[in-house]
């Protein structure tokens, strides 16, 4: 299998982890050589309820017995997609009441950018330095990491950077700006939170200039930071909310949500302003609906804040300079990318899955399933501490 993996399947780096997966359940992934791995990454913030959550699996099975794909998005009435978009609206502020379902996060970003241009009649889009919004051409145009963009230029025009949390830069939002797109909590940049009412100030400037605020909650959304969506911590609401990853409980989905009035602009003039074959797929929508039901009917989201406290208490080590983030979107920061790398690889050998952040080499990603138990948190943190101890001994 390993040979075939490298020979036939496209790779994203020259050095993938290449673990051969046998099965996964709860907070553990099992490999083909009998190894059991505690998962502190959750498929990069995607497996909100852990692996193969029974409610998600049962929703998928039930739907597969009724129908799979029947028509392109938006033509037929299919229960799972309708119920999902309705339950989302019931859990969001009033202006966020209509949802367009797509297949991935980056595709949802594309839809949001198009909608902002269509709704304002303007072309300029502002984005943040070190932002990550996905890898299609539109999303890359608003990615704040120039080095990774250069090889693919020219990207879409009229996109300009601002610095996240920098108030002076808000002057760049003008009556020419269609939208500013921000991650509510920056992910790839190193789990950076908005400070000093930054999002309120962005919101005010947008209102003043008729600019739309797009918040990318593809990573922090769906309970990961202790609220269903992270913007709920900051007393504001976006004009367009983008989601994905954890929404599907392990299945591929993305979505963008706005007001009915704004969303209907995609229907007409031109007609078919945004179309997708598989968006809203009934099997995927069933999994997302089961995930959202579980999150809204239990105290899983509230518990993430208690679990954050436990992580912060346990991850106390001279080599950890800071624990960044909120809820179960955490990054243990160390002094150098070399140390982070060594910790991630040594923990892998000891049965703990950790991962990197895209643009911040000193960060060790900790984004476990929201369903992780206190015992599992303790087990994993002990492995991290043991590895850090052995690194410290080598250095001293
Ligand atoms: C904040 C953010 N936006 C967008 C994306 C892109 O989502 P996808 O990989 O589903 O296209 C990601 C994925 O890592 C993300 O973290």
């Amino acid at each position: 299998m390993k040979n075939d993996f490298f020979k036939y399947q496209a790779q994203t780096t020259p050095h993938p982890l290449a673990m051969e997966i046998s099965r996964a359940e709860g907070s553990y992934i099992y490999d083909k050589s009998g190894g059991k791995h505690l998962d502190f990454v959750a498929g990069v913030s995607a497996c909100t309820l852990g692996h193969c959550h029974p409610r998600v699996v049962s929703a998928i099975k039930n739907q597969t017995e009724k129908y799979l794909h029947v028509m392109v998005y938006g033509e037929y009435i299919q229960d799972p997609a309708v119920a999902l978009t309705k339950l989302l609206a019931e859990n969001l502020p009033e202006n966020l009441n209509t949802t367009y379902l797509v297949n991935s996060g980056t595709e949802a970003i594309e839809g949001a950018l198009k909608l902002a241009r269509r709704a304002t009649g303007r072309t300029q889009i502002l984005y943040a330095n070190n932002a990550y919004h996905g890898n299609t051409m539109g999303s890359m145009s608003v990615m704040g990491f120039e080095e990774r963009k250069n090889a693919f230029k020219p990207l879409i025009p009229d996109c300009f950077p601002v610095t996240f949390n920098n108030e002076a830069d808000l002057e760049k939002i003008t009556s020419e700006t269609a939208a500013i797109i921000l991650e509510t909590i920056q992910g790839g940049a190193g789990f950076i939170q908005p400070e000093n009412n930054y999002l309120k100030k962005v919101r005010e400037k947008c209102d003043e200039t008729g600019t739309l605020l797009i918040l990318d909650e593809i990573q922090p959304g769906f309970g990961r930071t202790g609220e269903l969506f992270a913007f709920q911590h900051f007393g504001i609401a976006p004009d367009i909310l983008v989601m994905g990853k954890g929404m599907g409980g392990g299945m591929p989905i993305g979505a963008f949500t706005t007001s009915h009035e704004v969303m209907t602009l995609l229907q007409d003039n031109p007609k078919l302003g945004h179309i997708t074959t598989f968006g809203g797929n009934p099997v995927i929508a069933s999994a997302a609906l089961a995930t959202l039901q579980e999150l809204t009917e239990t105290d899983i989201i509230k518990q993430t804040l208690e679990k954050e406290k436990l992580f912060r208490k346990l991850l106390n080590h001279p080599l950890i300079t800071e624990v960044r983030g909120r809820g179960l979107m955490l990054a243990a920061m160390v002094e150098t990318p070399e140390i982070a790398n060594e910790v991630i690889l040594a923990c892998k050998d000891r049965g703990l899955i950790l991962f990197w952040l895209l643009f911040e080499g000193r960060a060790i990603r900790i984004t476990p399933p929201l369903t992780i138990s206190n015992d599992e948190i303790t087990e994993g943190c002990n492995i991290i501490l043991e590895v850090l101890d052995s690194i410290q001994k080598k250095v001293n």
Side-chain angles (χ1 to χ4, degrees):
M1 266 301 170
K2 208 167 226 168
N3 286 344
D4 287 355
F5 171 69
F6 285 104
K7 190 165 172 196
Y8 297 112
Q9 190 176 341
Q11 311 293 322
T12 57
T13 75
H15 40 73
L17 291 173
M19 192 203 299
E20 283 194 61
I21 305 303
S22 152
R23 67 187 183 89
E25 188 182 345
S27 302
Y28 291 92
I29 297 179
Y30 300 84
D31 68 35
K32 284 196 181 162
S33 47
K36 179 180 176 186
H37 306 262
L38 176 57
D39 188 1
F40 268 16
V41 176
V44 187
S45 301
C47 307
T48 311
L49 301 176
H51 297 282
C52 296
H53 189 280
R55 192 166 181 174
V56 176
V57 171
S58 145
I60 293 169
K61 281 187 179 157
N62 286 342
Q63 184 57 41
T64 55
E65 282 167 13
K66 292 183 193 152
Y67 57 95
L68 305 180
H69 178 72
V70 287
M71 191 28 130
V72 293
Y73 182 72
E75 291 294 332
Y76 291 172
I77 300 167
Q78 303 178 45
D79 290 354
V82 178
L84 172 61
T85 53
K86 182 175 177 204
L87 187 57
L88 269 172
E90 286 167 358
N91 283 281
L92 283 169
E94 223 175 308
N95 69 318
L96 298 171
N97 52 35
T98 306
T99 296
Y100 196 123
L101 298 170
V102 292
N103 309 285
S104 66
T106 197
E107 198 184 329
I109 295 286
E110 299 289 335
L113 295 175
K114 282 170 68 183
L115 183 57
R117 283 187 162 180
R118 174 71 184 81
T120 59
R122 306 173 187 174
T123 53
Q124 186 190 78
I125 310 276
L126 300 179
Y127 62 92
N129 285 320
N130 290 327
Y132 182 73
H133 298 291
N135 249 256
T136 48
M137 294 299 250
S139 299
M140 277 189 83
S141 307
V142 292
M143 176 165 97
F145 197 73
E146 301 308 314
E147 219 177 274
R148 299 238 179 119
K149 287 157 79 161
N150 286 340
F152 305 100
K153 286 180 175 172
L155 298 169
I156 66 168
D158 227 2
C159 297
F160 301 99
V162 298
T163 297
F164 195 76
N165 274 331
N166 180 317
E167 267 181 56
D169 264 8
L170 298 183
E171 291 308 314
K172 294 182 182 167
I173 305 176
T174 69
S175 56
E176 307 270 289
T177 315
I180 177 164
I181 180 165
L182 298 170
E183 294 161 88
T184 309
I185 296 177
Q186 286 201 301
F191 291 4
I192 310 290
Q193 299 198 56
E195 283 165 10
N196 299 324
N197 284 323
Y198 176 67
L199 289 180
K200 270 199 176 147
K201 290 167 190 162
V202 176
R203 177 72 274 172
E204 278 164 21
K205 195 70 187 169
C206 286
D207 291 342
E208 226 178 276
T209 56
T211 299
L212 298 185
L213 172 58
I214 304 174
L215 285 183
D216 177 346
E217 293 248 4
I218 289 167
Q219 178 151 220
F222 280 77
R224 183 150 292 281
T225 71
E227 290 281 358
L228 186 59
F229 291 98
F231 72 81
Q232 294 167 309
H233 292 293
F234 304 105
I236 54 111
D239 299 295
I240 305 177
L241 173 66
V242 187
M243 55 197 99
K245 277 192 185 280
M247 180 181 189
M251 297 294 270
I253 193 166
F256 55 104
T257 302
T258 186
S259 67
H260 191 74
E261 189 193 351
V262 171
M263 193 66 91
T264 48
L265 295 170
L266 287 177
Q267 295 172 15
D268 212 4
N269 192 26
K271 215 165 111 175
L272 301 172
H274 196 68
I275 54 177
T276 158
T277 300
F278 284 118
N281 176 279
V283 179
I284 310 294
S286 297
L289 177 62
T291 304
L292 186 56
Q293 285 167 333
E294 185 70 10
L295 289 176
T296 52
E297 290 168 15
T298 66
D299 67 350
I300 290 174
I301 295 181
K302 209 170 115 211
Q303 280 180 29
T304 60
L305 295 174
E306 292 305 312
K307 291 174 185 173
E308 174 189 357
K309 281 188 201 149
L310 181 58
F311 268 112
R312 287 186 180 279
K313 190 173 123 205
L314 294 171
L315 290 177
N316 191 354
H317 191 279
L319 289 184
I320 297 179
T321 54
E322 182 191 355
V323 176
R324 281 205 203 140
R326 197 158 187 145
L328 291 178
M329 184 174 164
L330 297 174
M333 303 300 297
V334 289
E335 252 164 38
T336 64
E338 290 72 30
I339 298 176
N341 215 29
E342 195 172 344
V343 173
I344 293 165
L345 296 176
C347 284
K348 168 183 160 266
D349 294 339
R350 293 177 190 220
L352 175 68
I353 300 174
L354 298 167
F355 211 55
W356 299 265
L357 294 191
L358 271 175
F359 311 140
E360 172 51 277
R362 295 164 306 162
I364 300 164
R365 167 189 282 275
I366 299 174
T367 56
L370 306 191
T371 47
I372 194 165
S373 71
N374 288 346
D375 284 349
E376 289 162 348
I377 292 173
T378 308
E379 178 190 331
C381 286
N382 283 340
I383 297 175
I384 297 175
L385 295 173
E386 278 166 29
V387 165
L388 286 170
D389 278 345
S390 63
I391 294 174
Q392 201 178 22
K393 271 191 207 127
K394 263 196 311 194
V395 174
N396 289 341

